Amino acid sequence: MTADKDRPPEKDPAPAENQGEDLSDPPAGGMFGSKARSNPLTASPLRRHALALSLFTLLTLAVTWPLVIHLFDRVPGWYIADNYEYLWKMWWFRYALLDLHQSPLIAPDIFYPYGFNLAHAELTPLHTIVGLPLTYLLGEVAAYNLFALSSFILAGWAACILVYRLSDSLLAGLLAGTLFVLTPYHTVRYGGILPPTSFQGIPLFFLGLEAWVGERKLRWAALAALGFIAASWAYLYYAVGLALLAPIYLLLRLRPLRPRLKERGTWWALALFGALTLAAMAPLAAPYIKLGREVSLTIPLQDVDFWSASVSDYFLPPGLNPLWGSWVREHLLTIPAEYPQIALEFVLAPGFVALLFAFYGWRYARSPARAALAGMAIAAFLLSLGPRLHLLGRYPLILPAPAWLAAFAQRTLDQMGMWLPAKESYQALAGDGLSVPLPALLLRWLFPPLKGMRGWNRFAVFVSLATAVLAGLGMAAWLRREVMPSARPGRRWTQYMIAALPLLLAVFELWPGRIPLQPVEPRPVDLWLAQQPGQFTIMELPLTSALSASQMLYTRYHGKRIAFAYGTYFPYWYRDRFPELQTCPQEACLERLRSWEVRYVLLNLASEPRGPELEAIMDARIELARLGRFGDIIVYRLLPRKTNGLRLPPPWPGRGSAVVVDYRRTAGTCRRERPPMFPSTSREDIRRAASGCSDAGPLALPNTRIKTAAGGPRERA
């Protein structure tokens, strides 16, 4: 390696008003960088922005293919899960505001009869409110996909321009942007969770911050505020992350701090930033504050511990690469193979190309932002580890210790937790030895609203950004120290090929393969429910199926009330508030469902672990009349408590068996109106079915058996 000698370290440029030149765009450099900064007005900044946007657009189309040709009928998703929830929210905000002319914060037909408060989960106003014109014009599916695609393009562009400002090297910026948008944290969440996918506000915030540090102009403070608002309106975790980490970055970046604080412009910039962010965040916080006064918005400490990152998660091979990704997820993340969707949450490693160039940048880069980036990366890394230390996978580090010492440490932590504002015990994380508590636990206890944060591993996004920017600075230093001095005259294309090699290696290492697309369509049972006349309430079992994200979108298709819902906090509160629902189909549960005017109970056989077990139990309940099966969903009618002499024994065994009725044949004429696909099992419907009317309607399902008093079972094709 060749060292730069006799070259003083580069200092922050003086404010633009003292230099007499406009630095509103990145300094004029080249693909490799330049030693001198020229006036950007003569350096065609528009071409640089257009080049960066064009390259990241092409990269986006390649990584997300074939989403662009399924813009209106599919959404990215490893599974059908949270993607359906946020599709519903985007549709619901449009429907409530433009069609119903009511507040979209309450969905009255969800969690009937109480109504569902959307503050139980992410309100994500970036997609539901800012994206309302897109949803209105193109529909929620296309709007969802455009937001997902734009996260790659805008985040890559912002990270690229940020590094370009710090290094004068466009190639270094392209490497940083590529590392950031292809980081597994982003590509995993692109496949199903829209709010954390839209993370472009984070590099935009730091771009504005760096521009303000260099120029002290209020417009850059406004740009930083815009980035903060965009990130926060996409995902509240990003608001918390920026609130905790931006001060660390700024304190390290403004050293020496005292002269900076004496400048009037510093306080004007802080005031502008604070006013803009407060005006944007206050309306977003209000629904959560109101709901927090009514229900508990607390995630149990043991759940928070599970969803925290481990040290090893950051130093594994990237877990989405088609060549080795499956092996990494199955063997190195310590998640059982039957839960692959959970393993994806812990695919966080930024890749060895990023780590190598980040170390090189920390060691050799000239940028004054180097220490601030390293400090933010370390702080975000520690916070992402959650309340206690995990070294390898999901296994916490437990240090062997005498029983008296372990008991003393546990008692001390318990007393501290109960004394601090959160008033929470450490007992849930107690072990046989000494665990290692981390800063996230102290923050949770100091600031009670943080008890609502479940996934501290989300701080990995800040680790990824700091690593990518440091890697970009490392790339610029490598080009300056290794590539440019060794270039021969007339061999410029060879120089370009060598310089592009790290970029190609980064794309290869982080390439996620084909990310699945999920169709946006109703279940067969939703179509049947939509055909049933009138309004009524449905319940789905087991609770693991009812309290799942996809249920929210299904309500759009069937249009009926549901006695359940989904949201970050809702399942915890729901199970605690209605414990009898966990005993379904016992009498206490059925009485609760009757009080909610539930007509149909759906059983999802595909929902583990109790779905298949519940079928025989529900078939044996006299209060439940089995109507039919749609794929993995069995439909039951919840009968009134008094059945007036009706006896509804379990159905005959066999695939597709439905209602079995033992009822005295009653004379009478048949109704001539077309009934629903299944009868509602009211007395009149049972009478018609038992009387053998030829137009009894679509009770005539394959393998449906009807037993009458006059004869034996009668098959209907």
Side-chain angles (χ1 to χ4, degrees), residues 495-613:
Q495 191 178 13
Y496 273 111
M497 292 176 61
I498 295 175
L501 185 61
L503 186 60
L504 298 176
L505 289 175
V507 172
F508 169 77
E509 183 186 29
L510 296 177
W511 189 258
R514 180 68 63 86
I515 299 176
L517 301 179
Q518 301 296 339
V520 181
E521 58 188 12
R523 303 169 297 177
V525 72
D526 299 322
L527 299 177
W528 176 78
L529 288 168
Q531 294 177 6
Q532 307 312 300
Q535 183 60 282
F536 50 83
T537 307
I538 63 174
M539 180 64 189
E540 186 158 326
L541 295 175
L543 286 185
T544 51
S545 178
L547 303 176
S548 60
S550 57
Q551 296 290 346
M552 306 298 283
L553 185 64
Y554 296 146
T555 62
R556 184 193 171 182
Y557 297 120
H558 58 63
K560 307 304 181 183
R561 302 188 299 251
I562 61 174
F564 49 91
Y566 177 78
T568 304
Y569 310 108
F570 187 80
Y572 298 99
W573 177 83
Y574 188 80
R575 293 174 187 271
D576 182 67
R577 178 64 179 81
F578 306 107
E580 63 273 15
L581 297 180
Q582 302 189 57
T583 68
C584 273
Q586 301 304 316
E587 185 60 31
C589 171
L590 298 182
E591 281 300 307
R592 171 65 67 182
L593 298 185
R594 290 190 185 99
S595 72
W596 290 345
E597 304 175 14
V598 170
R599 179 185 297 181
Y600 296 117
V601 179
L602 311 183
L603 174 61
N604 187 351
L605 297 177
S607 182
E608 298 292 343
R610 296 195 64 211
E613 299 175 5

Side-chain angles (χ1 to χ4, degrees), residues 618-676:
M618 295 179 69
D619 286 346
R621 295 294 302 187
I622 194 172
E623 302 92 338
L624 294 171
R626 177 166 172 160
L627 301 184
R629 176 170 175 173
F630 299 86
D632 292 325
I633 305 294
I634 300 176
V635 180
Y636 294 86
R637 172 68 187 263
L638 178 60
L639 300 178
R641 188 174 186 185
K642 294 182 179 180
T643 58
N644 297 323
L646 289 175
R647 182 168 64 87
L648 299 171
W652 275 273
R655 185 177 65 86
S657 60
V659 182
V660 180
V661 180
D662 186 0
Y663 190 77
R664 184 168 52 195
R665 189 178 184 116
T666 304
T669 59
C670 297
R671 299 189 207 175
R672 294 301 173 186
E673 68 272 14
R674 183 174 178 84

Side-chain angles (χ1 to χ4, degrees), residues 277-320:
T277 54
L278 182 61
M281 296 303 295
L284 179 58
Y288 295 100
I289 295 173
K290 181 179 179 181
L291 182 63
R293 294 171 180 168
E294 302 171 1
V295 301
S296 173
L297 300 181
T298 298
I299 304 297
L301 186 58
Q302 60 270 28
D303 283 13
V304 175
D305 181 66
F306 177 82
W307 294 106
S308 299
S310 71
V311 174
S312 63
D313 292 340
Y314 288 97
F315 299 99
L316 300 175
L320 295 182

Side-chain angles (χ1 to χ4, degrees), residues 145 199 202 309 590:
N145 289 330
F199 66 164
I202 300 176
L590 298 182

Side-chain angles (χ1 to χ4, degrees), residues 240 244 304 440 443-445 447-454 456:
V240 176
L244 293 174
V304 175
L443 289 172
R444 176 184 170 97
W445 285 350
F447 304 103
L450 296 185
K451 293 172 69 177
M453 287 186 59
R454 177 173 58 185
W456 285 80

Side-chain angles (χ1 to χ4, degrees), residues 477-498:
W478 177 69
L479 293 173
R480 186 186 72 248
R481 293 167 54 86
E482 309 292 344
V483 177
M484 294 178 66
S486 61
R488 297 179 181 179
R491 299 286 184 91
R492 190 169 185 82
W493 283 109
T494 303
Q495 191 178 13
Y496 273 111
M497 292 176 61
I498 295 175

Side-chain angles (χ1 to χ4, degrees), residues 170-420:
L170 184 59
L171 195 59
L174 293 174
L175 176 67
T178 301
L179 290 172
F180 186 51
V181 299
L182 293 187
T183 179
Y185 173 91
H186 182 228
T187 47
V188 163
R189 282 146 191 85
Y190 159 79
I193 315 179
L194 184 60
T197 300
S198 299
F199 66 164
Q200 57 267 26
I202 300 176
L204 188 65
F205 167 82
F206 285 100
L207 176 60
L209 189 61
E210 275 297 328
W212 176 81
V213 169
E215 302 180 34
R216 304 294 195 276
K217 289 187 175 180
L218 289 180
R219 61 180 174 181
W220 299 124
L223 180 63
L226 177 63
F228 185 96
I229 294 168
S232 304
W233 278 27
Y235 199 37
L236 275 177
Y237 278 77
Y238 295 159
V240 176
L242 288 173
L244 293 174
L245 297 173
I248 296 174
Y249 183 93
L250 200 57
L251 288 174
L252 293 173
R253 186 67 178 86
L254 293 180
R255 294 180 305 168
L257 188 60
R258 183 173 297 179
R260 309 282 191 174
L261 295 179
K262 293 181 179 180
E263 299 175 6
R264 181 180 300 179
T266 300
W267 296 104
W268 278 111
L270 289 175
L272 177 62
F273 178 85
L276 292 176
T277 54
L278 182 61
M281 296 303 295
L284 179 58
Y288 295 100
I289 295 173
K290 181 179 179 181
L291 182 63
R293 294 171 180 168
E294 302 171 1
V295 301
S296 173
L297 300 181
T298 298
I299 304 297
L301 186 58
Q302 60 270 28
D303 283 13
V304 175
D305 181 66
F306 177 82
W307 294 106
S308 299
S310 71
V311 174
S312 63
D313 292 340
Y314 288 97
F315 299 99
L316 300 175
L320 295 182
N321 190 283
L323 299 180
W324 58 76
S326 297
W327 188 87
V328 170
R329 297 195 301 273
E330 293 173 5
H331 296 88
L332 301 183
L333 296 177
T334 67
I335 297 293
E338 59 266 30
Y339 300 107
Q341 69 277 19
I342 295 179
L344 287 169
E345 274 288 326
F346 303 101
V347 179
L348 303 174
F352 297 118
V353 172
L355 293 174
L356 177 64
F357 275 92
F359 176 78
Y360 196 93
W362 175 77
R363 179 69 178 83
Y364 294 109
R366 298 174 178 177
S367 173
R370 180 183 59 180
L373 289 166
M376 182 178 74
I378 294 172
F381 171 76
L382 290 175
L383 290 176
S384 72
L385 300 180
R388 64 174 173 174
L389 181 61
H390 297 70
L391 285 181
L392 300 174
R394 317 284 62 83
Y395 301 115
L397 178 64
I398 303 295
L399 302 175
W404 66 267
L405 182 58
F408 173 77
Q410 174 65 43
R411 189 165 55 252
T412 302
L413 287 171
D414 280 341
Q415 292 175 351
M416 180 184 299
M418 297 304 295
W419 178 75
L420 290 172

